Amino acid sequence: MSVTENPTPSTPAARSVRLTAAAVLAAVEGLAIAAAGLYMIGLVLFGHPASVQEALMGGVTVLALAALPLSAAYGLLRARRWSRGPALIIQLMALPCAWTMAHYGTALLAGGVVLGAVALAELALLVHPAATEALGIRRTAA
């Protein structure tokens, strides 16, 4: 049997559509977080923040936090087993954030609904058996 007939989880043929969709959602989240960090740094350069030091450190911290979903997206796109854990944790952390945003109302309501929907969709994609199979994660007997 050749390598092309029995694809490994890291080959494109073994990557499922669900896994690719989860990677895209994680990348979108990472880019949104990075945009928020750049906005905070932009306030220091082009605006008048209440505290320059807080805005700068907050922006740098948020940019560093953007690395987690972006690295998870990279791993999911490459069908790496390690990437599922960080991606799941990000979504579990996003749900309370979405709930809090939705309870503030006005403009944050729409953001909270979108964030919650994306987090739930990505959670569903990541726990689906096709995605776990594409990552090479085997189910164990209970």
PDB file of all heavy atoms in Angstrom, residues 23-61:
ATOM      1  N   ALA A  23     -10.106  25.852  11.588  1.00  0.00           N
ATOM      2  CA  ALA A  23      -8.867  26.619  11.436  1.00  0.00           C
ATOM      3  C   ALA A  23      -9.160  28.033  10.951  1.00  0.00           C
ATOM      4  O   ALA A  23      -8.561  29.003  11.438  1.00  0.00           O
ATOM      5  CB  ALA A  23      -7.925  25.908  10.470  1.00  0.00           C
ATOM      6  N   VAL A  24     -10.095  28.163  10.029  1.00  0.00           N
ATOM      7  CA  VAL A  24     -10.449  29.485   9.511  1.00  0.00           C
ATOM      8  C   VAL A  24     -11.073  30.327  10.617  1.00  0.00           C
ATOM      9  O   VAL A  24     -10.734  31.508  10.783  1.00  0.00           O
ATOM     10  CB  VAL A  24     -11.395  29.360   8.297  1.00  0.00           C
ATOM     11  CG1 VAL A  24     -12.015  30.692   7.924  1.00  0.00           C
ATOM     12  CG2 VAL A  24     -10.643  28.766   7.116  1.00  0.00           C
ATOM     13  N   LEU A  25     -11.979  29.735  11.402  1.00  0.00           N
ATOM     14  CA  LEU A  25     -12.596  30.484  12.503  1.00  0.00           C
ATOM     15  C   LEU A  25     -11.558  30.905  13.546  1.00  0.00           C
ATOM     16  O   LEU A  25     -11.599  32.029  14.055  1.00  0.00           O
ATOM     17  CB  LEU A  25     -13.694  29.646  13.161  1.00  0.00           C
ATOM     18  CG  LEU A  25     -14.979  29.485  12.354  1.00  0.00           C
ATOM     19  CD1 LEU A  25     -15.938  28.541  13.066  1.00  0.00           C
ATOM     20  CD2 LEU A  25     -15.628  30.826  12.094  1.00  0.00           C
ATOM     21  N   ALA A  26     -10.623  30.019  13.867  1.00  0.00           N
ATOM     22  CA  ALA A  26      -9.572  30.366  14.827  1.00  0.00           C
ATOM     23  C   ALA A  26      -8.694  31.491  14.274  1.00  0.00           C
ATOM     24  O   ALA A  26      -8.294  32.398  15.017  1.00  0.00           O
ATOM     25  CB  ALA A  26      -8.729  29.145  15.161  1.00  0.00           C
ATOM     26  N   ALA A  27      -8.402  31.446  12.984  1.00  0.00           N
ATOM     27  CA  ALA A  27      -7.594  32.507  12.375  1.00  0.00           C
ATOM     28  C   ALA A  27      -8.333  33.842  12.386  1.00  0.00           C
ATOM     29  O   ALA A  27      -7.730  34.890  12.667  1.00  0.00           O
ATOM     30  CB  ALA A  27      -7.221  32.121  10.945  1.00  0.00           C
ATOM     31  N   VAL A  28      -9.621  33.819  12.121  1.00  0.00           N
ATOM     32  CA  VAL A  28     -10.417  35.051  12.157  1.00  0.00           C
ATOM     33  C   VAL A  28     -10.426  35.630  13.570  1.00  0.00           C
ATOM     34  O   VAL A  28     -10.276  36.845  13.757  1.00  0.00           O
ATOM     35  CB  VAL A  28     -11.849  34.788  11.640  1.00  0.00           C
ATOM     36  CG1 VAL A  28     -12.780  35.949  11.937  1.00  0.00           C
ATOM     37  CG2 VAL A  28     -11.826  34.508  10.141  1.00  0.00           C
ATOM     38  N   GLU A  29     -10.579  34.771  14.570  1.00  0.00           N
ATOM     39  CA  GLU A  29     -10.531  35.241  15.952  1.00  0.00           C
ATOM     40  C   GLU A  29      -9.166  35.839  16.281  1.00  0.00           C
ATOM     41  O   GLU A  29      -9.080  36.895  16.910  1.00  0.00           O
ATOM     42  CB  GLU A  29     -10.828  34.093  16.912  1.00  0.00           C
ATOM     43  CG  GLU A  29     -12.266  33.695  16.952  1.00  0.00           C
ATOM     44  CD  GLU A  29     -12.512  32.501  17.839  1.00  0.00           C
ATOM     45  OE1 GLU A  29     -11.580  31.687  18.032  1.00  0.00           O
ATOM     46  OE2 GLU A  29     -13.629  32.389  18.359  1.00  0.00           O
ATOM     47  N   GLY A  30      -8.110  35.160  15.866  1.00  0.00           N
ATOM     48  CA  GLY A  30      -6.767  35.666  16.120  1.00  0.00           C
ATOM     49  C   GLY A  30      -6.517  37.004  15.450  1.00  0.00           C
ATOM     50  O   GLY A  30      -5.923  37.910  16.039  1.00  0.00           O
ATOM     51  N   LEU A  31      -7.000  37.161  14.225  1.00  0.00           N
ATOM     52  CA  LEU A  31      -6.828  38.429  13.518  1.00  0.00           C
ATOM     53  C   LEU A  31      -7.653  39.537  14.162  1.00  0.00           C
ATOM     54  O   LEU A  31      -7.210  40.689  14.225  1.00  0.00           O
ATOM     55  CB  LEU A  31      -7.194  38.263  12.048  1.00  0.00           C
ATOM     56  CG  LEU A  31      -6.223  37.395  11.240  1.00  0.00           C
ATOM     57  CD1 LEU A  31      -6.760  37.160   9.830  1.00  0.00           C
ATOM     58  CD2 LEU A  31      -4.841  38.018  11.199  1.00  0.00           C
ATOM     59  N   ALA A  32      -8.836  39.197  14.665  1.00  0.00           N
ATOM     60  CA  ALA A  32      -9.664  40.199  15.354  1.00  0.00           C
ATOM     61  C   ALA A  32      -8.988  40.646  16.645  1.00  0.00           C
ATOM     62  O   ALA A  32      -8.991  41.842  16.979  1.00  0.00           O
ATOM     63  CB  ALA A  32     -11.048  39.628  15.634  1.00  0.00           C
ATOM     64  N   ILE A  33      -8.397  39.710  17.369  1.00  0.00           N
ATOM     65  CA  ILE A  33      -7.689  40.063  18.605  1.00  0.00           C
ATOM     66  C   ILE A  33      -6.468  40.920  18.280  1.00  0.00           C
ATOM     67  O   ILE A  33      -6.181  41.907  18.959  1.00  0.00           O
ATOM     68  CB  ILE A  33      -7.296  38.791  19.384  1.00  0.00           C
ATOM     69  CG1 ILE A  33      -8.552  38.078  19.879  1.00  0.00           C
ATOM     70  CG2 ILE A  33      -6.378  39.124  20.555  1.00  0.00           C
ATOM     71  CD1 ILE A  33      -8.288  36.692  20.436  1.00  0.00           C
ATOM     72  N   ALA A  34      -5.746  40.558  17.224  1.00  0.00           N
ATOM     73  CA  ALA A  34      -4.581  41.348  16.814  1.00  0.00           C
ATOM     74  C   ALA A  34      -4.999  42.760  16.394  1.00  0.00           C
ATOM     75  O   ALA A  34      -4.304  43.738  16.707  1.00  0.00           O
ATOM     76  CB  ALA A  34      -3.839  40.652  15.673  1.00  0.00           C
ATOM     77  N   ALA A  35      -6.139  42.879  15.711  1.00  0.00           N
ATOM     78  CA  ALA A  35      -6.630  44.199  15.312  1.00  0.00           C
ATOM     79  C   ALA A  35      -6.952  45.049  16.542  1.00  0.00           C
ATOM     80  O   ALA A  35      -6.679  46.259  16.550  1.00  0.00           O
ATOM     81  CB  ALA A  35      -7.860  44.053  14.419  1.00  0.00           C
ATOM     82  N   ALA A  36      -7.514  44.424  17.575  1.00  0.00           N
ATOM     83  CA  ALA A  36      -7.801  45.166  18.807  1.00  0.00           C
ATOM     84  C   ALA A  36      -6.505  45.646  19.459  1.00  0.00           C
ATOM     85  O   ALA A  36      -6.430  46.779  19.961  1.00  0.00           O
ATOM     86  CB  ALA A  36      -8.592  44.295  19.778  1.00  0.00           C
ATOM     87  N   GLY A  37      -5.477  44.812  19.444  1.00  0.00           N
ATOM     88  CA  GLY A  37      -4.187  45.215  19.997  1.00  0.00           C
ATOM     89  C   GLY A  37      -3.557  46.353  19.207  1.00  0.00           C
ATOM     90  O   GLY A  37      -3.010  47.297  19.786  1.00  0.00           O
ATOM     91  N   LEU A  38      -3.643  46.266  17.891  1.00  0.00           N
ATOM     92  CA  LEU A  38      -3.105  47.345  17.055  1.00  0.00           C
ATOM     93  C   LEU A  38      -3.884  48.638  17.251  1.00  0.00           C
ATOM     94  O   LEU A  38      -3.312  49.730  17.214  1.00  0.00           O
ATOM     95  CB  LEU A  38      -3.113  46.921  15.585  1.00  0.00           C
ATOM     96  CG  LEU A  38      -2.115  45.826  15.217  1.00  0.00           C
ATOM     97  CD1 LEU A  38      -2.321  45.383  13.772  1.00  0.00           C
ATOM     98  CD2 LEU A  38      -0.695  46.298  15.444  1.00  0.00           C
ATOM     99  N   TYR A  39      -5.196  48.510  17.466  1.00  0.00           N
ATOM    100  CA  TYR A  39      -6.014  49.695  17.732  1.00  0.00           C
ATOM    101  C   TYR A  39      -5.558  50.376  19.024  1.00  0.00           C
ATOM    102  O   TYR A  39      -5.442  51.601  19.084  1.00  0.00           O
ATOM    103  CB  TYR A  39      -7.487  49.305  17.817  1.00  0.00           C
ATOM    104  CG  TYR A  39      -8.379  50.433  18.257  1.00  0.00           C
ATOM    105  CD1 TYR A  39      -8.727  51.450  17.368  1.00  0.00           C
ATOM    106  CD2 TYR A  39      -8.863  50.503  19.556  1.00  0.00           C
ATOM    107  CE1 TYR A  39      -9.537  52.502  17.766  1.00  0.00           C
ATOM    108  CE2 TYR A  39      -9.672  51.540  19.963  1.00  0.00           C
ATOM    109  CZ  TYR A  39     -10.006  52.536  19.067  1.00  0.00           C
ATOM    110  OH  TYR A  39     -10.802  53.574  19.466  1.00  0.00           O
ATOM    111  N   MET A  40      -5.298  49.578  20.053  1.00  0.00           N
ATOM    112  CA  MET A  40      -4.849  50.139  21.325  1.00  0.00           C
ATOM    113  C   MET A  40      -3.503  50.840  21.176  1.00  0.00           C
ATOM    114  O   MET A  40      -3.279  51.915  21.745  1.00  0.00           O
ATOM    115  CB  MET A  40      -4.761  49.045  22.387  1.00  0.00           C
ATOM    116  CG  MET A  40      -6.116  48.485  22.777  1.00  0.00           C
ATOM    117  SD  MET A  40      -5.990  47.074  23.875  1.00  0.00           S
ATOM    118  CE  MET A  40      -5.657  47.905  25.421  1.00  0.00           C
ATOM    119  N   ILE A  41      -2.611  50.234  20.403  1.00  0.00           N
ATOM    120  CA  ILE A  41      -1.310  50.873  20.160  1.00  0.00           C
ATOM    121  C   ILE A  41      -1.489  52.112  19.286  1.00  0.00           C
ATOM    122  O   ILE A  41      -0.819  53.130  19.475  1.00  0.00           O
ATOM    123  CB  ILE A  41      -0.331  49.862  19.531  1.00  0.00           C
ATOM    124  CG1 ILE A  41       0.012  48.784  20.567  1.00  0.00           C
ATOM    125  CG2 ILE A  41       0.928  50.553  19.037  1.00  0.00           C
ATOM    126  CD1 ILE A  41       0.838  47.647  20.032  1.00  0.00           C
ATOM    127  N   GLY A  42      -2.419  52.043  18.342  1.00  0.00           N
ATOM    128  CA  GLY A  42      -2.708  53.194  17.492  1.00  0.00           C
ATOM    129  C   GLY A  42      -3.226  54.386  18.281  1.00  0.00           C
ATOM    130  O   GLY A  42      -2.984  55.542  17.915  1.00  0.00           O
ATOM    131  N   LEU A  43      -3.949  54.122  19.360  1.00  0.00           N
ATOM    132  CA  LEU A  43      -4.402  55.217  20.221  1.00  0.00           C
ATOM    133  C   LEU A  43      -3.223  55.981  20.809  1.00  0.00           C
ATOM    134  O   LEU A  43      -3.283  57.204  20.977  1.00  0.00           O
ATOM    135  CB  LEU A  43      -5.281  54.685  21.353  1.00  0.00           C
ATOM    136  CG  LEU A  43      -6.712  54.327  21.008  1.00  0.00           C
ATOM    137  CD1 LEU A  43      -7.431  53.772  22.227  1.00  0.00           C
ATOM    138  CD2 LEU A  43      -7.453  55.533  20.464  1.00  0.00           C
ATOM    139  N   VAL A  44      -2.162  55.261  21.115  1.00  0.00           N
ATOM    140  CA  VAL A  44      -0.969  55.915  21.666  1.00  0.00           C
ATOM    141  C   VAL A  44      -0.333  56.808  20.602  1.00  0.00           C
ATOM    142  O   VAL A  44       0.082  57.934  20.885  1.00  0.00           O
ATOM    143  CB  VAL A  44       0.049  54.860  22.162  1.00  0.00           C
ATOM    144  CG1 VAL A  44       1.355  55.506  22.567  1.00  0.00           C
ATOM    145  CG2 VAL A  44      -0.541  54.067  23.316  1.00  0.00           C
ATOM    146  N   LEU A  45      -0.285  56.318  19.363  1.00  0.00           N
ATOM    147  CA  LEU A  45       0.394  57.051  18.302  1.00  0.00           C
ATOM    148  C   LEU A  45      -0.450  58.184  17.718  1.00  0.00           C
ATOM    149  O   LEU A  45       0.069  59.255  17.405  1.00  0.00           O
ATOM    150  CB  LEU A  45       0.798  56.087  17.190  1.00  0.00           C
ATOM    151  CG  LEU A  45       1.754  54.965  17.595  1.00  0.00           C
ATOM    152  CD1 LEU A  45       1.948  54.004  16.441  1.00  0.00           C
ATOM    153  CD2 LEU A  45       3.079  55.542  18.064  1.00  0.00           C
ATOM    154  N   PHE A  46      -1.769  57.933  17.556  1.00  0.00           N
ATOM    155  CA  PHE A  46      -2.597  58.894  16.820  1.00  0.00           C
ATOM    156  C   PHE A  46      -3.738  59.494  17.633  1.00  0.00           C
ATOM    157  O   PHE A  46      -4.421  60.398  17.162  1.00  0.00           O
ATOM    158  CB  PHE A  46      -3.188  58.215  15.578  1.00  0.00           C
ATOM    159  CG  PHE A  46      -2.145  57.613  14.689  1.00  0.00           C
ATOM    160  CD1 PHE A  46      -2.048  56.245  14.553  1.00  0.00           C
ATOM    161  CD2 PHE A  46      -1.248  58.412  14.005  1.00  0.00           C
ATOM    162  CE1 PHE A  46      -1.091  55.679  13.744  1.00  0.00           C
ATOM    163  CE2 PHE A  46      -0.284  57.855  13.189  1.00  0.00           C
ATOM    164  CZ  PHE A  46      -0.197  56.481  13.054  1.00  0.00           C
ATOM    165  N   GLY A  47      -3.958  59.007  18.826  1.00  0.00           N
ATOM    166  CA  GLY A  47      -5.066  59.499  19.640  1.00  0.00           C
ATOM    167  C   GLY A  47      -4.585  60.075  20.939  1.00  0.00           C
ATOM    168  O   GLY A  47      -3.406  60.406  21.121  1.00  0.00           O
ATOM    169  N   HIS A  48      -5.516  60.176  21.866  1.00  0.00           N
ATOM    170  CA  HIS A  48      -5.205  60.714  23.177  1.00  0.00           C
ATOM    171  C   HIS A  48      -5.778  59.763  24.233  1.00  0.00           C
ATOM    172  O   HIS A  48      -6.854  60.009  24.774  1.00  0.00           O
ATOM    173  CB  HIS A  48      -5.809  62.110  23.351  1.00  0.00           C
ATOM    174  CG  HIS A  48      -5.322  63.085  22.329  1.00  0.00           C
ATOM    175  ND1 HIS A  48      -4.004  63.474  22.242  1.00  0.00           N
ATOM    176  CD2 HIS A  48      -5.964  63.752  21.354  1.00  0.00           C
ATOM    177  CE1 HIS A  48      -3.861  64.334  21.256  1.00  0.00           C
ATOM    178  NE2 HIS A  48      -5.040  64.515  20.694  1.00  0.00           N
ATOM    179  N   PRO A  49      -5.040  58.670  24.504  1.00  0.00           N
ATOM    180  CA  PRO A  49      -5.554  57.738  25.516  1.00  0.00           C
ATOM    181  C   PRO A  49      -5.479  58.355  26.911  1.00  0.00           C
ATOM    182  O   PRO A  49      -4.700  59.290  27.148  1.00  0.00           O
ATOM    183  CB  PRO A  49      -4.615  56.529  25.392  1.00  0.00           C
ATOM    184  CG  PRO A  49      -3.343  57.106  24.892  1.00  0.00           C
ATOM    185  CD  PRO A  49      -3.746  58.249  23.990  1.00  0.00           C
ATOM    186  N   ALA A  50      -6.291  57.815  27.821  1.00  0.00           N
ATOM    187  CA  ALA A  50      -6.267  58.309  29.205  1.00  0.00           C
ATOM    188  C   ALA A  50      -4.883  58.097  29.825  1.00  0.00           C
ATOM    189  O   ALA A  50      -4.373  58.950  30.540  1.00  0.00           O
ATOM    190  CB  ALA A  50      -7.334  57.604  30.016  1.00  0.00           C
ATOM    191  N   SER A  51      -4.275  56.954  29.523  1.00  0.00           N
ATOM    192  CA  SER A  51      -2.939  56.656  30.024  1.00  0.00           C
ATOM    193  C   SER A  51      -2.132  56.030  28.884  1.00  0.00           C
ATOM    194  O   SER A  51      -2.496  54.958  28.382  1.00  0.00           O
ATOM    195  CB  SER A  51      -3.009  55.694  31.205  1.00  0.00           C
ATOM    196  OG  SER A  51      -1.721  55.226  31.531  1.00  0.00           O
ATOM    197  N   VAL A  52      -1.075  56.684  28.491  1.00  0.00           N
ATOM    198  CA  VAL A  52      -0.246  56.183  27.395  1.00  0.00           C
ATOM    199  C   VAL A  52       0.365  54.839  27.763  1.00  0.00           C
ATOM    200  O   VAL A  52       0.371  53.900  26.956  1.00  0.00           O
ATOM    201  CB  VAL A  52       0.862  57.212  27.043  1.00  0.00           C
ATOM    202  CG1 VAL A  52       1.836  56.625  26.041  1.00  0.00           C
ATOM    203  CG2 VAL A  52       0.234  58.484  26.520  1.00  0.00           C
ATOM    204  N   GLN A  53       0.862  54.717  28.986  1.00  0.00           N
ATOM    205  CA  GLN A  53       1.502  53.476  29.414  1.00  0.00           C
ATOM    206  C   GLN A  53       0.501  52.314  29.428  1.00  0.00           C
ATOM    207  O   GLN A  53       0.818  51.218  28.960  1.00  0.00           O
ATOM    208  CB  GLN A  53       2.130  53.649  30.790  1.00  0.00           C
ATOM    209  CG  GLN A  53       2.896  52.432  31.262  1.00  0.00           C
ATOM    210  CD  GLN A  53       3.536  52.645  32.623  1.00  0.00           C
ATOM    211  OE1 GLN A  53       3.301  53.655  33.270  1.00  0.00           O
ATOM    212  NE2 GLN A  53       4.338  51.696  33.036  1.00  0.00           N
ATOM    213  N   GLU A  54      -0.699  52.544  29.936  1.00  0.00           N
ATOM    214  CA  GLU A  54      -1.703  51.481  29.970  1.00  0.00           C
ATOM    215  C   GLU A  54      -2.129  51.073  28.564  1.00  0.00           C
ATOM    216  O   GLU A  54      -2.310  49.890  28.279  1.00  0.00           O
ATOM    217  CB  GLU A  54      -2.919  51.921  30.777  1.00  0.00           C
ATOM    218  CG  GLU A  54      -2.684  51.936  32.266  1.00  0.00           C
ATOM    219  CD  GLU A  54      -3.914  52.374  33.035  1.00  0.00           C
ATOM    220  OE1 GLU A  54      -5.022  52.332  32.476  1.00  0.00           O
ATOM    221  OE2 GLU A  54      -3.751  52.744  34.198  1.00  0.00           O
ATOM    222  N   ALA A  55      -2.311  52.047  27.681  1.00  0.00           N
ATOM    223  CA  ALA A  55      -2.717  51.732  26.307  1.00  0.00           C
ATOM    224  C   ALA A  55      -1.622  50.961  25.578  1.00  0.00           C
ATOM    225  O   ALA A  55      -1.906  49.997  24.857  1.00  0.00           O
ATOM    226  CB  ALA A  55      -3.051  53.017  25.551  1.00  0.00           C
ATOM    227  N   LEU A  56      -0.381  51.347  25.786  1.00  0.00           N
ATOM    228  CA  LEU A  56       0.728  50.666  25.123  1.00  0.00           C
ATOM    229  C   LEU A  56       0.896  49.244  25.650  1.00  0.00           C
ATOM    230  O   LEU A  56       0.997  48.289  24.880  1.00  0.00           O
ATOM    231  CB  LEU A  56       2.021  51.457  25.298  1.00  0.00           C
ATOM    232  CG  LEU A  56       3.230  50.962  24.530  1.00  0.00           C
ATOM    233  CD1 LEU A  56       2.947  50.976  23.031  1.00  0.00           C
ATOM    234  CD2 LEU A  56       4.438  51.811  24.839  1.00  0.00           C
ATOM    235  N   MET A  57       0.915  49.088  26.960  1.00  0.00           N
ATOM    236  CA  MET A  57       1.073  47.748  27.532  1.00  0.00           C
ATOM    237  C   MET A  57      -0.140  46.871  27.241  1.00  0.00           C
ATOM    238  O   MET A  57      -0.005  45.673  26.999  1.00  0.00           O
ATOM    239  CB  MET A  57       1.318  47.833  29.036  1.00  0.00           C
ATOM    240  CG  MET A  57       2.696  48.353  29.388  1.00  0.00           C
ATOM    241  SD  MET A  57       4.034  47.461  28.568  1.00  0.00           S
ATOM    242  CE  MET A  57       3.850  45.853  29.260  1.00  0.00           C
ATOM    243  N   GLY A  58      -1.326  47.466  27.261  1.00  0.00           N
ATOM    244  CA  GLY A  58      -2.528  46.711  26.915  1.00  0.00           C
ATOM    245  C   GLY A  58      -2.477  46.235  25.474  1.00  0.00           C
ATOM    246  O   GLY A  58      -2.813  45.092  25.175  1.00  0.00           O
ATOM    247  N   GLY A  59      -2.042  47.101  24.566  1.00  0.00           N
ATOM    248  CA  GLY A  59      -1.939  46.725  23.160  1.00  0.00           C
ATOM    249  C   GLY A  59      -0.925  45.625  22.928  1.00  0.00           C
ATOM    250  O   GLY A  59      -1.177  44.681  22.178  1.00  0.00           O
ATOM    251  N   VAL A  60       0.218  45.727  23.588  1.00  0.00           N
ATOM    252  CA  VAL A  60       1.256  44.695  23.448  1.00  0.00           C
ATOM    253  C   VAL A  60       0.764  43.370  24.029  1.00  0.00           C
ATOM    254  O   VAL A  60       0.982  42.300  23.438  1.00  0.00           O
ATOM    255  CB  VAL A  60       2.569  45.147  24.121  1.00  0.00           C
ATOM    256  CG1 VAL A  60       3.572  44.017  24.213  1.00  0.00           C
ATOM    257  CG2 VAL A  60       3.167  46.325  23.360  1.00  0.00           C
ATOM    258  N   THR A  61       0.059  43.424  25.162  1.00  0.00           N
ATOM    259  CA  THR A  61      -0.473  42.208  25.782  1.00  0.00           C
ATOM    260  C   THR A  61      -1.514  41.549  24.880  1.00  0.00           C
ATOM    261  O   THR A  61      -1.513  40.328  24.685  1.00  0.00           O
ATOM    262  CB  THR A  61      -1.092  42.527  27.153  1.00  0.00           C
ATOM    263  OG1 THR A  61      -0.086  43.111  27.979  1.00  0.00           O
ATOM    264  CG2 THR A  61      -1.644  41.287  27.817  1.00  0.00           C
TER     265      THR A  61
END
